[in-house]
Amino acid sequence: MEIFEKINSVTNAIAKLKENGNSIGFVPTMGALHEGHLALIAASKRANNITVCSIFVNPIQFNNTADLLKYPKTLEEDVALLKSAKCDIIFAPSHEEMYPNGNPDLTLDFHYQNSILEGKYRAGHFNGVGLVVSKLFNIIQPNQAYFGQKDFQQCLVVRQIVKELCFPITVHIVKTVRDENGLAMSSRNKRLSPEERQIASIIFKTLQWASGRTGSFSIVELKVKIKLRIVKAGLQIEYIDFIDVESDTLANEIVANRQYALCVAAYLGEVRLIDNVLFNA
Ligand code: AMP
């Protein structure tokens, strides 16, 4: 496994590998790796000769400075995990390497996606994600890239980038990896005690419960029921929304034979958690 910190060196190394006929799978991360990230590495390894993982805590996607400052940084452990997962290349650039002039002047704007779910509550978040993912795609030039379903709206944004900026990259969405109690694995879970993790598992349990009842209740009724269950467990809800997966837009009603994502963001204390389930009506 090779570790690169410089854009030029990783780009040259990958160009040589591609000249020799290797396919490149890419997994962008912000480090503090867990089994969720490793599932993306495994998916990439199954389909590509070479797997590249980037580790970069992208400051411009944090709308909240406290969240950025508290974001766990565990590079040594990450490198050990990636080595045991047989990742081939790590790209771990510094802030200066990625943004030599401080933060970039260029902005991408995802308009509609900025007005719903994560986009609505984390101002500028997707613009920051979009910029760093575009930059990383240009640096790594992978054939395929892997993203987690846990960040469902991020997957929509990445697909939009690939389509609208014509990146010759196939995007794959990997199923959410969960703790045994159902809580979606997340780097932010490191800030929860074992008891809090148990409490937070109400999110997934409620999403599963609700996705099985869309035939009996309207979206408005379901949102009330979901909120009651999650709030009763001690969390605070930020949003509960249904996305129509075909149009990538908010759904106001459930129509038979269509696919939906039921998405939730909630706080347990100061820790913000998101989760979603996909289901066919
Ligand atoms: P992050 O380091 O949080 O930016 O995540 C890097 C990638 O890992 C993103 O595509 C995430 O959606 C994905 N990811 C994070 N947690 C999970 C999980 N529990 N299961 C599957 N993928 C995940």
Side-chain angles (χ1 to χ4, degrees):
M1 187 173 75
E2 275 193 279
I3 306 178
F4 295 91
E5 292 173 4
K6 299 288 175 207
I7 294 174
N8 272 349
S9 9
V10 76
T11 302
N12 290 340
I14 290 173
K16 280 200 195 98
L17 287 163
K18 284 178 98 173
E19 267 166 37
N20 292 334
N22 292 293
S23 64
I24 312 292
F26 178 41
V27 178
T29 79
M30 298 205 297
L33 302 182
H34 50 68
E35 281 172 50
H37 299 106
L38 296 185
L40 308 193
I41 300 285
S44 170
K45 284 191 68 67
R46 280 195 293 275
N48 300 280
N49 310 103
I50 299 290
T51 290
V52 181
C53 177
S54 65
I55 299 178
F56 179 62
V57 182
N58 177 36
I60 65 165
Q61 73 184 66
F62 285 81
N63 55 315
N64 175 334
T65 322
D67 193 27
L68 171 62
L69 293 176
K70 279 189 212 141
Y71 205 84
K73 292 179 190 69
T74 57
L75 187 62
E76 246 175 68
E77 283 116 314
D78 293 347
V79 169
L81 267 181
L82 288 171
K83 202 166 179 187
S84 61
K86 299 202 163 39
C87 176
D88 302 287
I89 292 178
I90 299 178
F91 177 51
S94 64
H95 180 270
E96 295 68 41
E97 185 67 6
M98 288 298 276
Y99 301 124
N101 306 318
N103 286 341
D105 219 11
L106 174 72
T107 318
L108 289 180
D109 195 334
F110 291 88
H111 303 282
Y112 180 74
Q113 293 299 335
N114 281 342
S115 72
I116 63 170
L117 312 175
E118 292 297 287
K120 179 171 168 186
Y121 289 94
R122 301 184 67 190
H125 171 62
F126 285 130
N127 300 347
V129 168
L131 198 74
V132 82
V133 168
S134 304
K135 222 169 147 126
L136 288 167
F137 279 178
N138 276 325
I139 294 167
I140 306 298
Q141 303 205 10
N143 303 94
Q144 319 207 58
Y146 297 82
F147 292 84
Q149 185 198 317
K150 183 181 86 72
D151 299 283
F152 181 72
Q153 198 184 9
Q154 173 168 275
C155 297
L156 304 185
V157 162
V158 171
R159 282 191 166 158
Q160 193 179 344
I161 298 169
V162 165
K163 193 168 158 209
E164 294 197 26
L165 299 180
C166 306
F167 280 108
I169 298 170
T170 308
V171 172
H172 298 275
I173 301 180
V174 177
K175 245 180 102 179
T176 304
V177 178
R178 301 177 178 282
D179 277 352
E180 62 281 2
N181 60 17
L183 175 65
M185 287 194 181
S186 162
S187 308
R188 289 184 177 84
N189 295 357
K190 289 193 165 73
R191 290 164 53 198
L192 297 175
S193 68
E195 295 74 35
E196 286 172 324
R197 287 181 189 214
Q198 188 56 42
I199 293 169
S201 70
I202 188 70
I203 299 176
F204 179 56
K205 292 188 183 102
T206 306
L207 293 184
Q208 273 188 313
W209 174 86
S211 64
R213 280 163 185 78
T214 53
S216 318
F217 300 107
S218 70
I219 284 190
V220 174
E221 289 167 335
L222 274 175
K223 281 188 180 184
V224 172
K225 290 180 189 298
I226 294 168
K227 186 170 178 185
L228 270 178
R229 284 173 183 241
I230 295 180
V231 167
K232 206 170 152 201
L235 290 91
Q236 278 177 298
I237 296 281
E238 193 162 65
Y239 64 75
I240 304 164
D241 275 307
F242 290 76
I243 290 281
D244 178 320
V245 171
E246 205 176 304
S247 63
D248 295 349
T249 59
L250 272 192
N252 294 318
E253 57 172 345
I254 303 290
V255 177
N257 301 319
R258 286 179 82 89
Q259 195 184 29
Y260 295 90
L262 168 53
C263 307
V264 163
Y267 279 91
L268 180 52
E270 288 187 355
V271 182
R272 187 174 185 276
L273 301 164
I274 59 170
D275 203 352
N276 67 81
V277 291
L278 286 169
F279 66 92
N280 291 306

